[in-house]
Amino acid sequence: MSMNKVILQGRLCAAPELKQTKSGKSVLSVNVAVDRKVEGCDFITVNAWDKTAEFISKYFTKGKEILLCGRIETRSYEVNGTKRTVTEVVAEEAYFCGSKDDSKSEQHTIAESYKNAEPKFEEIEYNDNLPF
């Protein structure tokens, strides 16, 4: 058994440009900037098709944070007699992430208030019937 699953969270490097194939299928290709944990950033080419491409094109703009799930795909082609191989991510799902206006989100504010709150513990009397 094998698995090919990719999950990326990053920001769009350019405005997504929806195109149509000759057969009428929607397609888009965009680079996503993904920060490394330690230092630097990777720019990953992501392709999306059909409804996923239309969704990204409609709701995302340059610099907007996005979460993508998909697969890695490798393809080869020739340019002037030279064979080239490209590895890309094919997005099968796209999700919103971050806040609506990329500022501190309401959820983050709520989490911060809980983080600073005093813990409340309730003492339970010992009982031989407890299952643990």
Side-chain angles (χ1 to χ4, degrees):
M1 184 176 178
S2 61
M3 181 185 296
N4 183 352
K5 186 76 171 174
V6 174
I7 300 173
L8 297 174
Q9 181 177 347
R11 294 188 181 274
L12 297 183
C13 297
E17 195 175 315
L18 188 67
K19 296 180 181 179
Q20 301 291 321
T21 64
K22 290 178 184 176
S23 63
K25 289 182 84 169
S26 298
V27 62
L28 71 77
S29 182
V30 69
N31 284 334
V32 177
V34 179
D35 289 329
R36 293 185 188 155
K37 199 169 195 171
V38 178
E39 184 181 303
C41 184
D42 292 307
F43 298 93
I44 300 169
T45 302
V46 176
N47 297 320
W49 294 87
D50 301 320
K51 297 290 182 193
T52 305
E54 292 166 12
F55 175 77
I56 294 169
S57 158
K58 184 173 181 179
Y59 294 106
F60 292 88
T61 57
K62 178 181 178 179
K64 200 76 170 159
E65 195 171 5
I66 190 168
L67 180 91
L68 298 163
C69 299
R71 66 183 187 278
I72 292 177
E73 200 169 87
T74 304
R75 60 185 173 87
S76 298
Y77 62 96
E78 250 185 65
V79 175
N80 299 329
T82 304
K83 186 176 180 181
R84 299 187 183 221
T85 302
V86 178
T87 302
E88 301 165 318
V89 171
V90 176
E92 298 166 338
E93 303 169 47
Y95 300 96
F96 297 107
C97 61
S99 65
K100 188 174 184 179
D101 60 358
D102 286 337
S103 64
K104 202 173 193 183
S105 70
E106 183 180 329
Q107 290 177 345
H108 181 69
T109 306
I110 293 169
E112 285 296 316
S113 65
Y114 278 111
K115 182 177 164 185
N116 297 327
E118 290 291 320
K120 296 178 183 174
F121 295 102
E122 183 180 329
E123 190 171 325
I124 299 174
E125 289 186 36
Y126 177 76
N127 184 334
D128 286 336
N129 296 328
L130 292 176
F132 48 89

